[in-house]
Amino acid sequence: MKQKRTLPENTENKSACPLNSENIKAELLVSKDFITKDITINNKSGTKAVLFYFEGMVDLKMIDDDILRPLLQERSITDANNSEDIIDSILSGSIYHTEITVSEDLNECISKIIGGNAAIVFDDVCKAVLFKVKGYETRSVGEPSSENVVKGSKESFVESLTVNTTLVRRRIRTPKLRIEQITVGRQTVTPVSIIYIDGLTNNNIVNELRKRLQSINVDGVIFAQAIEENIIDNKLTPFPQTTYMERVDTFCLNILEGRAGILIDGLPIAYTVPITMEMFYRATEDYAQNYLVASAIRILRYFTATITVFLPSLYISITTFHQEMIPSTLATSIISSKEGVPFPTFIEVLIMLGSFEVLLEAGLRLPRSIGQALSIVGALIVGDAAVNARAVSPVVVIVVALTAICGFVVPNQDLSNALRLCRFFLVLLSSVLGLLGMALGTLLIFIHESTLYSFGVPYLAPFSSTEGKGLFGDAVIRPPLFVNKTRPENLKTTNKKRNG
Amino acid sequence: MTLIYKILVPAILAFGLTGCNILPVRSEIADLELVKVVGIDKCEVHSDNNVTMTVASIKQQTGVSGGGGGEGQSKSIVLTGEALTLTDAMRKLQTHYNKIIFLGHADYFLLGEEAIKDDFYKYYDFLERTYEIRLNAKVFITKGCSANDILSQGSKGELPISERLDNLSNEGFINSHLIKEMSVIQLEKHLDNPYSAVAIPALSKADNEFDLIEQEKKLQTDVEVYGYAIVKDFKLVGYIDWELANGYNFIKNQADYTVFNVTDPSGLYVALIVENAKTKIKPKFYGDTLESVDIEIKVKSSINEQQSRLDITKEQITEEMAAKQSEIIKQEITNVIKTAQEMNADFLGISDVVKRKNPLKWNSIKDNWDEIFPLIKFNVEVDSLIYHTFDVRYPSGYKEEKQN
């Protein structure tokens, strides 16, 4: 009988005292960047200890000057009798360092060493003194790449969690700003911060977020989806249920509205929850512009989002099933343009929509310089040739181009992608049932959206909220500050008053 | 929700791919022949058939217009079919043409005089009932000829009949405001009232000579606006021409932009344009008897042109001209009322007003309306005011001494 092969358990160095240098070496020494150094402390008994750290993760100058030098030269240490006395002496200020912790737990010790601490392990007392001497390279705070505004901060989040929390705290200086930390990922052990304002944000939202983050059971958090997919309410939907931002000011604005924020180490973006659909139609520049202008542009975004979803299916419907709806002059123009085109309208539209998606995807993958050439070849040369060869009619090209351009007006890329999917769904339905299919598809989309919730908040709030409040709070228009005095009703914040 | 998607979407797509008849019929727009004008006549050629239907399509560009190249030639198709019913005639038309004849873009329906004399409803129901037809399509009666005559001959010239009707509709009707259009839905509303008659715009055929550049003079059948055809109880009872149509328009509160030519003190003409005309119709009862109907009209006009060099902006002169205008309007209204009473056809809508203002008394007289209407005494009062002169300066060549 075939026996299941299992790896032999590592039984070495298992003793009553788990925290000792041998156990740490057994866990980490296989890594080439793991450094161990036996040191003899210059005290009366010449106590032995072992220094551990990861090369590249720590500042070596700090280890030399702030740890090793005092251990050999500081009088209170040289006068110590044993390891306990040395540890007491270190904690009582013999070594000047801001963050010193003593650990007796092997796992904690190892995770802190991985996180950029230097550890001095005293085997005789089974204790380790940990010094936070992080010294790795990080990207400096730069300008946001996709959410640029003229009147506004130029700072965006970076990959370092510490830097990001600092950026937030520099803007929200209330002592009630809470930054909690949770580690996520079995292998990556990534620190994730929950940020909220105590006494403002709804506690239920914070508790739920904490619960969901703690329950994440993944190998690692390398990409955003590891967190995103595990904290959303409904996993079977194309619609985004979290909103990401790379701007610090936008993030802080959301925190002040009463949302809870998430910062992940290693990712230069932040999330806020709960979210509603209308948030995706807001753009950062809305709050840096005159409210009338911003409101007009926001209404335009709703309009263009409607066009990008419905225009191709509407075109198919009215040219294939409801020709009487088209003004006569336009109808004759469409007929003239379709002359000689061998495909039915919906095939034409599908070809063009498909081609556009291919171009878009290809443009994303290619280096920026080649991407431009691709768009010229794809859009101008092939498009023009296709029209001239009567493969597609010019009107369909206009329809698909307009659809694409309108799609780019939507500020949130995740929502834009979801709308692309809805567009194909409606195209298929309308090619079979005309306007009836379009209406049916729209109904299904709305039914689906109305079943979505984000941390207990309806996805379509405030449009679907039964309170009737905040309908025009900050959804369809951007109201002036003297009008917008309360926080969004649907967030059920503890502190409701925002301005005035 | 997921279950709904899983079942519904494949089901819908499966239906589409199986070619089931329960799905709406798909027809490509390029396969359609868009009809612009439909002519409906009583069939007189073959006694086996009842109706004749003639359709004229929208002029379409043919051929491919390449990049920077010129456009192809235009064409307008005219087809005629005869059958027992109009629906059957449509089907017969279809058998003679390779494209789908589509009435969804038909803007004009011409009904032949003989058909209206026969039975208006017999030919009109098709317009109301057929779902493809737009309810805002305009209805015309062809005076003195059949609709087929106008369509088949009128489409041969340089300007197809469909475009000529567009011109008449956009310029001849709206700018001059002589004849008001009647849509299918408006006509339906009028026909629902059994006590009144309806005035439907009437067209007539005219053979005009057109000067064509670089060509010889060419005789072409043209269409003219005649006035209104009066239909009562689904039968044609007569016509009113342009002059009578003016009076009709005033009574129906649709006389804006009507032009009147009056003389100034020098005897030369001044053109007045009606900018605003309000008509009030007030029935007066003595007991349950309709004693008389007062028609009060207030007209505001502006001076659009003067032929003399007098200063006609003086109050006395404008009042004199307004009085002349009032007299003309009163005469036109009196004439049209007289015609209506002679025809015993209440196309002026008096019965509607009486019913609206005195609903209880209307109930007592409505059954005898045909006897009452020709005997009603109408009192017409017109109050004109000229309130725009557009030019406050003296006319060019004005000399003060000549005023006295």
Side-chain angles (χ1 to χ4, degrees):
Chain A
M1 192 177 165
K2 202 172 183 179
Q3 279 195 335
K4 193 179 176 183
R5 289 186 63 189
T6 53
L7 288 171
E9 285 197 17
N10 188 358
T11 52
E12 286 178 9
N13 298 320
K14 279 199 168 178
S15 64
C17 172
L19 179 55
N20 58 50
S21 56
E22 291 306 314
N23 280 356
I24 294 172
K25 282 177 188 172
E27 285 287 336
L28 301 175
L29 198 57
V30 283
S31 302
K32 203 163 186 180
D33 57 343
F34 184 63
I35 309 295
T36 66
K37 184 177 174 61
D38 294 329
I39 52 175
T40 308
I41 294 164
N42 189 21
N43 67 341
K44 291 172 185 171
S45 56
T47 306
K48 302 278 185 195
V50 188
L51 173 71
F52 295 108
Y53 62 87
F54 272 98
E55 194 177 16
M57 294 286 283
V58 296
D59 186 346
L60 289 175
K61 192 169 186 312
M62 278 172 80
I63 293 176
D64 289 346
D65 294 349
D66 300 348
I67 301 171
L68 294 179
R69 191 191 300 271
L71 282 176
L72 299 174
Q73 294 179 355
E74 190 60 39
R75 179 138 190 192
S76 59
I77 294 174
T78 53
D79 290 347
N81 293 320
N82 51 35
S83 300
E84 287 288 2
D85 288 348
I86 293 168
I87 292 169
D88 288 343
S89 179
I90 290 170
L91 290 175
S92 60
S94 300
I95 293 179
Y96 301 116
H97 199 72
T98 49
E99 200 171 321
I100 304 172
T101 49
V102 177
S103 177
E104 294 180 44
D105 180 28
L106 176 66
N107 290 332
E108 184 197 11
C109 183
I110 288 172
S111 70
K112 286 202 169 179
I113 293 169
I114 293 167
N117 281 248
I120 297 174
V121 178
F122 296 92
D123 285 337
D124 52 342
V125 292
C126 299
K127 283 183 182 175
V129 184
L130 295 149
F131 301 87
K132 193 169 183 180
V133 283
K134 270 185 192 175
Y136 48 80
E137 291 296 319
T138 56
R139 188 165 63 89
S140 58
V141 176
E143 286 192 23
S145 59
S146 63
E147 299 171 54
N148 287 310
V149 289
V150 179
K151 280 193 283 179
S153 160
K154 304 288 178 199
E155 287 183 337
S156 68
F157 287 116
V158 292
E159 285 76 3
S160 164
L161 181 64
T162 321
V163 176
N164 290 347
T165 52
T166 314
L167 288 170
V168 175
R169 198 172 280 285
R170 266 174 41 202
R171 279 173 178 75
I172 305 174
R173 295 182 187 181
T174 170
K176 294 192 170 178
L177 179 75
R178 301 280 182 264
I179 302 178
E180 291 181 13
Q181 196 159 307
I182 292 169
T183 48
V184 179
R186 284 190 303 268
Q187 306 301 334
T188 58
V189 198
T190 310
V192 176
S193 286
I194 303 172
I195 300 181
Y196 62 97
I197 297 175
D198 194 23
L200 190 156
T201 314
N202 188 334
N203 280 333
N204 292 335
I205 292 172
V206 179
N207 293 338
E208 183 63 28
L209 176 62
R210 195 184 295 122
K211 200 175 102 187
R212 290 186 192 183
L213 283 172
Q214 282 169 342
S215 66
I216 294 174
N217 187 14
V218 291
D219 258 0
V221 183
I222 305 296
F223 291 103
Q225 285 301 318
I227 297 287
E228 208 174 305
E229 278 185 15
N230 282 296
I231 62 166
I232 57 174
D233 290 66
N234 191 334
K235 292 173 178 61
L236 296 169
T237 176
F239 290 98
Q241 291 175 83
T242 53
T243 178
Y244 68 89
M245 54 211 77
E246 55 175 354
R247 292 187 64 86
V248 184
D249 48 5
T250 316
F251 180 75
C252 292
L253 197 73
N254 276 285
I255 298 293
L256 289 177
E257 273 196 341
R259 294 188 172 83
I262 306 164
L263 286 170
I264 305 158
D265 192 46
L267 289 175
I269 51 169
Y271 289 98
T272 55
V273 290
I275 57 100
T276 49
M277 180 108 170
E278 49 88 18
M279 283 177 70
F280 300 118
Y281 292 95
R282 298 188 205 170
T284 316
E285 62 263 29
D286 287 1
Y287 302 96
Q289 282 179 339
N290 177 290
Y291 68 91
L292 290 171
V293 177
S295 299
I297 294 172
R298 194 177 288 178
I299 291 168
L300 180 76
R301 281 187 212 120
Y302 278 98
F303 179 67
T304 51
T306 312
I307 288 182
T308 197
V309 176
F310 293 109
L311 187 63
S313 48
L314 181 70
Y315 177 75
I316 291 171
S317 297
I318 63 172
T319 54
T320 315
F321 294 95
H322 317 280
Q323 295 89 351
E324 66 279 359
M325 285 179 66
I326 314 170
S328 301
T329 322
L330 181 61
T332 49
S333 299
I334 293 172
I335 291 173
S336 305
S337 74
K338 265 190 75 71
E339 201 175 321
V341 177
F343 304 113
T345 308
F346 84 93
I347 295 287
E348 268 185 273
V349 172
L350 280 176
I351 289 172
M352 286 307 292
L353 280 177
S355 311
F356 168 69
E357 296 297 332
V358 169
L359 269 178
L360 203 68
E361 200 58 25
L364 282 176
R365 300 283 162 266
L366 286 170
R368 202 170 288 176
S369 51
I370 306 175
Q372 278 189 345
L374 179 86
S375 61
I376 292 167
V377 172
L380 297 177
I381 299 173
V382 177
D384 189 48
V387 169
N388 283 335
R390 316 302 293 172
V392 288
S393 69
V395 183
V396 170
V397 176
I398 294 170
V399 166
V400 173
L402 202 61
T403 304
I405 292 165
C406 287
F408 292 127
V409 180
V410 177
N412 187 287
Q413 192 55 46
D414 284 347
L415 179 68
S416 192
N417 292 342
L419 296 181
R420 277 157 70 185
L421 215 59
C422 292
R423 188 193 299 154
F424 276 99
F425 175 59
L426 290 175
V427 161
L428 289 174
L429 279 178
S430 64
S431 64
V432 179
L433 293 168
L435 281 181
L436 182 69
M438 210 175 130
L440 186 71
T442 310
L443 193 68
L444 286 174
I445 291 169
F446 273 113
I447 290 171
H448 171 65
E449 282 179 344
S450 59
T451 60
L452 299 180
Y453 283 85
S454 171
F455 288 81
V457 176
Y459 195 59
L460 292 181
F463 305 110
S464 65
S465 64
T466 49
E467 289 91 347
K469 291 178 187 173
L471 189 59
F472 293 101
D474 200 2
V476 182
I477 57 163
R478 203 280 275 171
L481 293 179
F482 62 86
V483 172
N484 199 13
K485 287 183 177 174
T486 54
R487 294 180 215 288
E489 186 70 25
N490 48 58
L491 293 178
K492 299 204 169 20
T493 49
T494 317
N495 177 346
K496 298 203 182 297
K497 200 165 185 184
R498 172 154 49 178
N499 301 319
Chain B
M1 199 63 220
T2 320
L3 190 67
I4 293 173
Y5 281 131
K6 279 180 182 170
I7 297 170
L8 207 60
V9 175
I12 290 168
L13 294 177
F15 275 129
L17 297 170
T18 51
C20 292
N21 287 332
I22 57 164
L23 293 172
V25 180
R26 184 192 295 134
S27 51
E28 287 294 319
I29 192 168
D31 298 336
L32 303 181
E33 188 65 45
L34 306 182
V35 171
K36 179 84 171 177
V37 192
V38 179
I40 298 169
D41 289 303
K42 182 182 177 184
C43 183
E44 290 173 339
V45 182
H46 301 103
S47 55
D48 294 346
N49 293 324
N50 272 339
V51 294
T52 305
M53 180 187 251
T54 313
V55 294
S57 70
I58 294 177
K59 190 174 85 170
Q60 287 176 23
Q61 299 297 325
T62 58
V64 180
S65 55
E71 289 182 337
Q73 288 191 339
S74 61
K75 59 169 184 178
S76 175
I77 311 291
V78 177
L79 299 166
T80 305
E82 293 172 355
L84 290 171
T85 58
L86 288 165
T87 311
D88 200 20
M90 261 291 284
R91 189 182 57 80
K92 284 187 177 173
L93 281 179
Q94 189 61 72
T95 56
H96 294 108
Y97 198 58
N98 58 348
K99 282 188 163 187
I100 301 165
I101 294 173
F102 186 64
L103 298 183
H105 286 263
D107 283 336
Y108 306 104
F109 284 88
L110 310 185
L111 285 92
E113 189 181 65
E114 289 305 316
I116 310 304
K117 282 179 181 171
D118 178 27
D119 181 5
F120 181 72
Y121 187 76
K122 190 170 136 187
Y123 303 90
Y124 174 72
D125 185 67
F126 177 78
L127 274 64
E128 269 189 347
R129 204 179 293 274
T130 308
Y131 67 90
E132 214 172 78
I133 293 171
R134 289 177 179 181
L135 291 177
N136 65 348
K138 283 94 187 177
V139 181
F140 295 95
I141 309 293
T142 55
K143 182 182 181 296
C145 61
S146 67
N148 181 270
D149 285 348
I150 288 182
L151 285 176
S152 54
Q153 292 172 35
S155 296
K156 289 174 186 168
E158 294 294 316
L159 196 63
I161 194 71
S162 56
E163 290 195 14
R164 180 72 186 113
L165 284 172
D166 273 344
N167 291 349
L168 281 174
S169 184
N170 297 333
E171 293 160 21
F173 286 62
I174 290 166
N175 285 353
S176 71
H177 284 256
L178 293 167
I179 306 294
K180 301 295 168 188
E181 293 167 339
M182 176 75 74
S183 65
V184 173
I185 190 92
Q186 283 172 326
L187 189 54
E188 191 179 334
K189 195 176 75 180
H190 282 287
L191 293 173
D192 284 345
N193 186 350
Y195 303 103
S196 70
V198 58
I200 304 169
L203 302 173
S204 61
K205 193 171 76 171
D207 291 333
N208 291 341
E209 280 186 349
F210 289 89
D211 284 325
L212 298 172
I213 300 169
E214 297 174 4
Q215 285 183 34
E216 293 178 358
K217 282 187 176 178
K218 193 174 178 181
L219 196 68
Q220 187 184 323
T221 298
D222 190 24
V223 182
E224 285 180 346
V225 180
Y226 176 79
Y228 289 106
I230 310 300
V231 175
K232 188 189 174 189
D233 295 334
F234 300 103
K235 297 275 185 197
L236 181 70
V237 292
Y239 291 95
I240 56 171
D241 60 12
W242 282 23
E243 289 181 10
L244 287 172
N246 247 358
Y248 168 80
N249 289 339
F250 269 102
I251 292 174
K252 297 296 277 185
N253 248 326
Q254 54 188 29
D256 291 357
Y257 304 105
T258 309
V259 177
F260 289 102
N261 299 319
V262 295
T263 52
D264 64 8
S266 70
L268 292 172
Y269 283 104
V270 174
L272 301 176
I273 286 188
V274 175
E275 293 205 341
N276 186 283
K278 293 251 185 256
T279 305
K280 286 184 179 172
I281 300 171
K282 296 177 178 173
K284 286 193 172 173
F285 278 87
Y286 182 78
D288 279 346
T289 312
L290 182 62
E291 198 175 43
S292 63
V293 173
D294 291 352
I295 297 176
E296 294 172 7
I297 300 169
K298 286 189 177 178
V299 183
K300 285 183 179 176
S301 306
S302 60
I303 297 171
N304 208 54
E305 180 189 349
Q306 80 171 92
Q307 292 182 343
S308 70
R309 292 176 186 177
L310 296 179
D311 176 17
I312 57 168
T313 58
K314 287 180 180 170
E315 193 177 351
Q316 188 196 344
I317 297 175
T318 55
E319 280 178 0
E320 280 176 19
M321 292 193 296
K324 286 177 186 172
Q325 181 182 255
S326 296
E327 197 52 42
I328 297 170
I329 294 170
K330 188 174 179 178
Q331 191 56 50
E332 286 180 345
I333 290 171
T334 310
N335 288 346
V336 78
I337 289 171
K338 191 182 164 194
T339 309
Q341 288 183 317
E342 282 172 3
M343 288 178 181
N344 194 10
D346 179 17
F347 59 88
L348 304 171
I350 305 297
S351 61
D352 284 337
V353 180
V354 175
K355 183 183 174 186
R356 203 166 54 243
K357 294 196 171 174
N358 305 81
L360 294 175
K361 289 177 180 175
W362 166 252
N363 277 338
S364 66
I365 63 167
K366 66 180 181 186
D367 292 335
N368 302 319
W369 185 247
D370 276 355
E371 289 81 50
I372 293 168
F373 180 70
L375 305 172
I376 297 172
K377 186 187 171 194
F378 285 88
N379 303 314
V380 182
E381 291 288 328
V382 183
D383 181 14
S384 286
L385 174 71
I386 295 172
Y387 80 126
H388 273 163
T389 59
F390 295 122
D391 192 353
V392 292
R393 298 170 304 168
Y394 294 130
S396 303
Y398 167 78
K399 287 180 183 171
E400 197 170 351
E401 62 271 18
K402 282 196 173 181
Q403 292 290 301
N404 301 316

